[in-house]
Amino acid sequence: MIPVKAETTSFYEAEYIDNIYMNKYQYSTHTIYYQKARFFRKVGTDEFAYCIEPFRFFNEGATYQSSFQLDTLSKEQIESMTKIAYYGYGYSNHTDPKWYAITQLMIWQIASSDGEYYFTDSLNGNRIDIFQEEMNEIYSLIEMDTILPSFSGGSFDIVENHELILEDENHVLHSFTNEENLIVEDFFKIGPLEAGSYEFSFQKELFYQKPFLFYQSENSQNLLETGDITPIDAKIRVHVIPTHLEISKIDQDTKSVIPSGEASLDGAVYSLYDCQNRFIQDLVIEENQALLSNLDFGNYLIQEKKAGEGYLLDQKSYKFSITKENPRVSLVLKNQVIKKRILLEKQYGEEGNLKKEANVSFYIKNKKGEIIQTVTTNEEGQVDFFLPYGSYQIIQKNTTEGYQKTKPFTIVVSDCEEKLLSLIDWMIPVPDTHTEKNWSWFVYLLYALWMILC
Amino acid sequence: MLRSLLFWFLISFFLHFPTTSTVYSYDISYHGEAIPIIREEEKPIGTLFIPRIHLKQSFYSKDSLENTIEKHVSILKESPPPSYENSLFLLAAHSGEGEVAYFEELNQLEIGDSVEITYEGVAYSYLIDSIWEEEKTGYIHVPSGEGRQLILTTCSPGKKNTQLIIYCIEDI
């Protein structure tokens, strides 16, 4: 069954094309048909058409019925003919009438294999091989017609809010259109997009904006009117994935987000580099964390640039990868607090006769006045302990009888150097500082008076 | 008779009266025989000023013969001088009565009072940090501390067998 477009029309033999002559040689009958190239046009509209039955005569005045297909032609023939007609006369800059003759000859070659078709130098003259370049151009355009952009049919993963720019290595993208106008020359630009799955399609741009039509007649050769060929669609799928880098800082000693002493994990700065060690950006730790969303897929490296107050700079660098399979990366990074070893030595006594003071305890208070530790000297009068970054007050709790307690003193820990504290409660000899009033003169005066009286 | 008595009285009186500050020393370098020599009058190495009790007294270097509580406010031998950052400078003087009882009002001082010293021409300011008394044993017990520290000590005025110790820290 032939799909028929409800149109009845007729055609006529229109203007000749100067200096172009064509011969058709039919193998089965050994007959040569020769002619000067000439247009077929539709009565009323003057739209041109091609003959698709080279060895059947045209009957002017015959009535034609239009249709999209012909039973007398195979699917392949129809496809080839319509493509030749599409890219032939009228397409782009193919406006010279010679293109009509060239297109007609090429259509005959598809329409019937029972013949040979060629140009001649005059009416029924000698065969000449001309317009080969033009025919190659049409064939090239037809060949290109089947070529889709290099990325069509592909599936792509991109990061949320990132752009995807696809380059068509086949260089055919410019002949396609897209509803979202995402095509710029050979580039297809998508995004930025929110997380989800998307499908983008693009279609071959149609030149004539009308369908091709076959015209059939009972008593005349069938004709083909040029129109758009079956549009080619291409699609790509895009998966938009949110990515996430989270850095959590913990104290190496407390193994938690609680910093030691008066140190602060916040304020640390990490530098982020790509796999080629190119700096990307700095990340600042706030509330023990740094977050970076929608980092592109790839391999990265981070290194601490500045430690939080009271912490030692982490010299290590950390590598990680953001992939579609592993788009969320969480790193727990430790910092070693600055801490000082305190060696406290307690002695008492006279100079040259100092004794080691055992079992003497000291309170260690933090800046808030809270007792954080109590340490006690051993038999050697010594005790050693560590204090993290901060300022501490050391208060002696007990002492040897008769001796004063060491005055409370402050230790500021701002580096890791050991500190030796030698605390000595001295016993110092003092002279007798008591004096009485000198009454001797009064005694002598009394004595003298007594002698006088006597 | 009366003249004789008056003569003895005057001799005795002057023998018990405080002496002057003439400095004596002995040169024993010559044949090992001690020869007394008289040196030039020494100058004090520093002064002690306590505003609350209006005390201003000089003191002499640790090795000076003038460095004795019988004459002046005295530096105790164990004293590292205030020129050291971690110094424990100890000054003692008599209390009670008499002209050399320079520290007789030391018990009127309170924690937070200022004490000023000049030593070798450099001024140092201290604040009283603590005050305590100890049983009089011929020794005082001084706690370990940091920075420039100053101890003023004397017999507790008005108390028997008690030593008053005033501990000062540098006023930074």
Side-chain angles (χ1 to χ4, degrees):
Chain A
M1 185 179 150
I2 300 169
V4 175
K5 190 169 180 264
E7 185 185 0
T8 302
T9 189
S10 58
F11 291 84
Y12 65 97
E13 287 183 295
E15 72 275 20
Y16 286 100
I17 301 167
D18 289 342
N19 303 317
I20 296 180
Y21 303 95
M22 307 160 83
N23 273 15
K24 298 180 278 187
Y25 173 70
Q26 190 174 26
Y27 298 131
S28 57
T29 61
H30 305 287
T31 308
I32 294 173
Y33 301 88
Y34 54 88
Q35 65 177 94
K36 186 176 183 181
R38 188 178 188 183
F39 281 93
F40 285 111
R41 290 191 184 275
K42 193 192 282 182
V43 173
T45 64
D46 291 333
E47 289 169 294
F48 65 90
Y50 298 105
C51 163
I52 56 173
E53 289 179 302
F55 301 112
R56 191 175 172 197
F57 288 102
F58 174 73
N59 185 9
E60 199 155 326
T63 300
Y64 282 87
Q65 292 288 325
S66 63
S67 67
F68 293 112
Q69 290 185 16
L70 273 182
D71 282 346
T72 54
L73 295 173
S74 68
K75 190 180 172 187
E76 290 74 24
Q77 281 177 307
I78 290 172
E79 189 178 332
S80 297
M81 274 185 199
T82 53
K83 283 183 178 177
I84 289 167
Y86 182 85
Y87 290 110
Y89 176 67
Y91 179 80
S92 188
N93 60 348
H94 299 174
T95 52
D96 189 286
K98 71 175 181 182
W99 285 98
Y100 177 85
I102 295 163
T103 306
Q104 179 60 81
L105 188 95
M106 292 172 75
I107 288 172
W108 283 337
Q109 287 171 339
I110 299 300
S112 175
S113 57
D114 186 27
E116 191 176 1
Y117 315 93
Y118 51 90
F119 293 103
T120 56
D121 56 1
S122 59
L123 193 63
N124 201 21
N126 298 317
R127 176 176 181 151
I128 51 172
D129 292 325
I130 57 170
F131 302 132
Q132 200 57 51
E133 197 175 313
E134 287 81 350
M135 284 190 273
N136 288 342
E137 184 180 326
I138 290 171
Y139 281 126
S140 174
L141 286 168
I142 291 168
E143 193 181 333
M144 291 285 282
D145 185 73
T146 59
I147 298 173
L148 292 172
S150 56
F151 49 77
S152 62
S155 181
F156 301 90
D157 299 300
I158 62 169
V159 174
E160 188 177 31
N161 288 326
H162 280 221
E163 275 192 341
L164 173 66
I165 299 175
L166 299 169
E167 184 178 4
D168 175 26
E169 293 172 358
N170 294 336
H171 306 292
V172 296
L173 187 62
H174 60 274
S175 61
F176 285 77
T177 58
N178 166 267
E179 282 182 9
E180 293 96 344
N181 291 321
L182 302 175
I183 295 170
V184 179
E185 295 180 347
D186 278 340
F187 296 94
F188 195 61
K189 293 186 177 180
I190 302 167
L193 296 169
E194 291 181 359
S197 291
Y198 299 82
E199 189 174 86
F200 294 93
S201 61
F202 33 99
Q203 300 80 35
K204 191 87 175 178
E205 202 165 16
L206 299 176
F207 187 79
Y208 298 101
Q209 303 300 318
K210 63 171 186 173
F212 65 82
L213 284 174
F214 289 105
Y215 287 93
Q216 272 183 291
S217 174
E218 295 294 329
N219 53 359
S220 182
Q221 62 182 218
N222 292 336
L223 297 172
L224 167 64
E225 185 181 291
T226 300
D228 292 324
I229 50 180
T230 309
I232 300 170
D233 277 356
K235 286 179 183 175
I236 60 166
R237 286 182 176 278
V238 177
H239 304 286
V240 182
I241 301 166
T243 65
H244 185 83
L245 168 65
E246 178 182 326
I247 300 171
S248 300
K249 291 282 285 183
I250 62 167
D251 182 292
Q252 190 160 314
D253 288 351
T254 67
K255 303 280 187 290
S256 75
V257 296
I258 300 166
S260 297
E262 291 166 30
S264 171
L265 291 162
D266 288 347
V269 180
Y270 280 91
S271 293
L272 177 67
Y273 300 88
D274 68 11
C275 59
Q276 293 176 314
N277 267 337
R278 287 178 301 211
F279 173 76
I280 298 173
Q281 72 175 87
D282 283 335
L283 303 169
V284 181
I285 301 293
E286 289 173 355
E287 296 180 354
N288 299 313
Q289 283 190 324
L291 299 171
L292 183 60
S293 295
N294 297 331
L295 191 59
D296 213 349
F297 298 124
N299 298 317
Y300 297 93
L301 179 147
I302 60 165
Q303 188 158 28
E304 194 172 47
K305 180 182 178 182
K306 176 178 168 280
E309 184 186 345
Y311 282 95
L312 297 171
L313 188 72
D314 186 359
Q315 302 286 353
K316 292 180 196 167
S317 54
Y318 301 89
K319 291 180 179 175
F320 64 94
S321 298
I322 299 274
T323 63
K324 60 183 178 180
E325 293 81 16
N326 187 26
R328 300 175 76 86
V329 172
S330 293
L331 300 173
V332 178
L333 304 179
K334 298 171 187 169
N335 264 120
Q336 175 61 56
V337 74
I338 291 171
K339 60 182 178 183
K340 188 182 277 291
R341 183 180 180 223
I342 312 284
L343 180 60
L344 190 151
E345 190 179 56
K346 186 72 177 64
Q347 297 176 90
Y348 69 105
E350 287 181 79
E351 193 169 15
N353 186 25
L354 288 172
K355 294 171 186 170
K356 293 170 170 120
E357 196 171 5
N359 300 318
V360 174
S361 297
F362 293 85
Y363 295 122
I364 300 169
K365 287 186 175 180
N366 63 16
K367 210 173 181 178
K368 297 175 189 169
E370 300 162 336
I371 297 173
I372 57 160
Q373 211 179 139
T374 302
V375 294
T376 304
T377 56
N378 60 16
E379 290 300 314
E380 296 298 314
Q382 294 176 337
V383 60
D384 70 313
F385 52 96
F386 285 90
L387 286 177
Y389 181 85
S391 176
Y392 303 90
Q393 195 177 33
I394 313 293
I395 301 159
Q396 190 174 344
K397 182 181 172 186
N398 60 314
T399 186
T400 301
E401 191 177 348
Y403 279 82
Q404 295 293 318
K405 291 176 189 172
T406 297
K407 309 300 291 182
F409 61 96
T410 301
I411 292 178
V412 177
V413 178
S414 59
D415 58 50
C416 297
E417 279 183 33
E418 278 190 11
K419 186 175 178 73
L420 173 65
L421 284 172
S422 183
L423 305 177
I424 303 171
D425 288 340
W426 296 103
M427 190 168 77
I428 298 171
V430 292
D432 184 1
T433 52
H434 184 72
T435 57
E436 296 291 344
K437 206 160 189 176
N438 191 347
W439 295 103
S440 56
W441 63 274
F442 185 68
V443 170
Y444 282 113
L445 183 62
L446 285 177
Y447 174 70
L449 288 172
W450 187 78
M451 289 296 286
I452 292 165
L453 290 172
C454 293
Chain B
M1 177 68 178
L2 188 62
R3 284 186 179 176
S4 166
L5 287 170
L6 187 62
F7 172 77
W8 281 111
F9 168 72
L10 290 173
I11 291 294
S12 299
F13 181 81
F14 284 112
L15 279 176
H16 286 85
F17 210 77
T19 54
T20 61
S21 62
T22 309
V23 177
Y24 295 89
S25 66
Y26 295 87
D27 185 349
I28 57 168
S29 60
Y30 181 71
H31 294 303
E33 186 182 348
I35 300 169
I37 57 167
I38 298 175
R39 296 198 307 207
E40 286 183 21
E41 191 163 304
E42 279 193 65
K43 289 181 180 174
I45 197 166
T47 56
L48 166 68
F49 176 50
I50 307 176
R52 179 182 279 275
I53 57 174
H54 309 291
L55 174 68
K56 187 168 188 180
Q57 282 296 320
S58 301
F59 51 84
Y60 290 79
S61 74
K62 207 188 290 185
D63 299 328
S64 167
L65 290 177
E66 292 296 299
N67 185 40
T68 166
I69 59 167
E70 303 308 329
K71 295 180 180 177
H72 304 286
V73 170
S74 172
I75 304 170
L76 296 188
K77 277 194 172 179
E78 285 71 17
S79 296
S83 49
Y84 288 88
E85 271 191 26
N86 280 307
S87 58
L88 181 62
F89 195 54
L90 291 103
L91 294 175
H94 276 301
S95 59
E97 294 182 6
E99 294 192 7
V100 292
Y102 301 113
F103 281 178
E104 65 179 329
E105 293 180 346
L106 216 58
N107 59 346
Q108 293 177 23
L109 297 182
E110 295 175 3
I111 290 169
D113 283 352
S114 67
V115 178
E116 292 169 16
I117 272 181
T118 59
Y119 185 87
E120 292 182 328
V122 180
Y124 301 94
S125 293
Y126 296 86
L127 291 175
I128 296 175
D129 179 75
S130 51
I131 301 170
W132 71 90
E133 290 177 326
E134 292 183 7
E135 189 183 349
K136 200 167 172 182
T137 61
Y139 291 91
I140 58 169
H141 296 93
V142 178
S144 179
E146 287 192 325
R148 288 192 175 88
Q149 303 152 81
L150 169 69
I151 297 258
L152 307 174
T153 185
T154 190
C155 294
S156 296
K159 292 183 183 175
K160 283 188 175 178
N161 296 322
T162 310
Q163 190 79 20
L164 175 66
I165 300 145
I166 295 184
Y167 179 84
C168 311
I169 53 171
E170 190 176 18
D171 182 12
I172 301 169

